[in-house]
């Protein structure tokens, strides 16, 4: 008797390749990405201060825009979190409302 033919075994066989990434690994990856982006932001801010007055103002403005936009982008990516499930998880069953029992044009079925 093979393993899949045993009584009481689940119908679907789960494979390790389809298992989701562990939560600790996911959080660590998102934290690392966030810290790298914040490091780039600090470098942009420092370059904006150091290039102010020494290079054309366009260079400093590019670094300032990078320092302002990167926190927003970093937070969006950090909060992206785990992927959603492929299956439809419906918590409510949809019901269809049938025709009423009263006559049309009357409220509550009274004349």
């Amino acid at each position: 008797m093979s393993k899949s033919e045993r009584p009481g075994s689940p119908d679907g066989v789960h494979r390790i390749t389809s298992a989701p990434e562990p939560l600790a690994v996911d959080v660590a990856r998102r934290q690392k990405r966030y810290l790298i982006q914040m490091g780039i932001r600090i470098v942009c801010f420092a370059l904006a201060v150091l290039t102010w007055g020494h290079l054309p103002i366009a260079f400093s403005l590019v670094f300032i825009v990078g320092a302002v936009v990167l926190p927003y982008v970093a937070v969006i990516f950090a909060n992206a979190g785990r992927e959603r499930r492929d299956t439809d998880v419906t918590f409510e069953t949809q019901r269809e409302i049938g025709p009423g029992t009263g006559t049309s044009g009357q409220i509550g079925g009274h004349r």
Side-chain angles (χ1 to χ4, degrees):
M1 179 182 279
S2 71
K3 188 175 185 178
S4 63
E5 296 174 358
R6 289 183 190 162
S9 66
D11 293 336
V13 176
H14 298 284
R15 302 197 184 280
I16 191 65
T17 55
S18 64
E21 179 181 47
L23 183 60
V25 173
D26 180 52
V27 169
R29 179 181 46 80
R30 290 188 288 139
Q31 284 178 343
K32 181 180 177 183
R33 186 184 325 161
Y34 179 80
L35 290 174
I36 289 171
Q37 290 176 344
M38 288 296 100
I40 294 170
R41 177 189 185 226
I42 290 171
V43 169
C44 283
F45 183 76
L47 286 174
V49 170
L50 293 174
T51 59
W52 193 266
H54 298 290
L55 292 175
I57 193 125
F59 289 108
S60 296
L61 290 178
V62 168
F63 292 132
I64 290 171
V65 168
V68 169
V69 172
L70 271 174
Y72 175 76
V73 173
V75 168
I76 295 296
F77 283 135
N79 289 334
R82 299 170 73 103
E83 291 79 25
R84 294 179 186 246
R85 298 180 190 161
D86 292 327
T87 59
D88 181 27
V89 180
T90 307
F91 296 107
E92 289 184 23
T93 56
Q94 300 293 326
R95 296 186 297 173
E96 193 174 306
I97 299 176
T101 57
T103 59
S104 64
Q106 297 177 354
I107 298 175
H110 299 289
R111 291 185 182 189

